[in-house]
Amino acid sequence: MTIKQITALPTYNPNRVLDAIIEKLQLKNDAALSRALEVAPPVISKIRHNTLPIGATILIRMHEISDFSIRELREMMAA
């Protein structure tokens, strides 16, 4: 399955993960999230708009800053 096919699946929604981390860390917005994840703000925007999948590196960083398990993060994306 290609990245385009995965991100086109009706159940794939990275916004749930991004919103859960923002809520857990009590961040104000996506700009604050990008600083916490140490990525450029356009990366978060591309993930939100399904033009960039959440890759392994960002997934691990999300785990490190949020204490959500990798499994929890993956389940949030697919729920």
Side-chain angles (χ1 to χ4, degrees):
M1 191 173 277
T2 68
I3 290 172
K4 194 168 193 166
Q5 290 170 320
I6 292 168
T7 59
L9 291 173
T11 57
Y12 176 80
N13 186 351
N15 292 324
R16 284 188 285 264
V17 174
L18 300 177
D19 293 340
I21 294 171
I22 286 172
E23 184 177 327
K24 184 165 189 174
L25 300 180
Q26 298 180 338
L27 301 173
K28 276 188 157 187
N29 51 35
D30 284 353
L33 177 60
S34 72
R35 287 190 294 275
L37 290 172
E38 299 175 0
V39 298
V43 172
I44 302 299
S45 178
K46 288 177 182 178
I47 290 171
R48 278 219 187 264
H49 292 95
N50 272 350
T51 57
L52 181 70
I54 295 176
T57 304
I58 294 178
L59 189 65
I60 291 168
R61 185 71 184 129
M62 288 174 168
H63 161 68
E64 291 172 346
I65 68 167
S66 70
D67 284 333
F68 284 124
S69 71
I70 298 292
R71 176 173 290 190
E72 288 173 311
L73 293 168
R74 290 177 55 112
E75 287 173 357
M76 280 185 243
M77 280 189 281

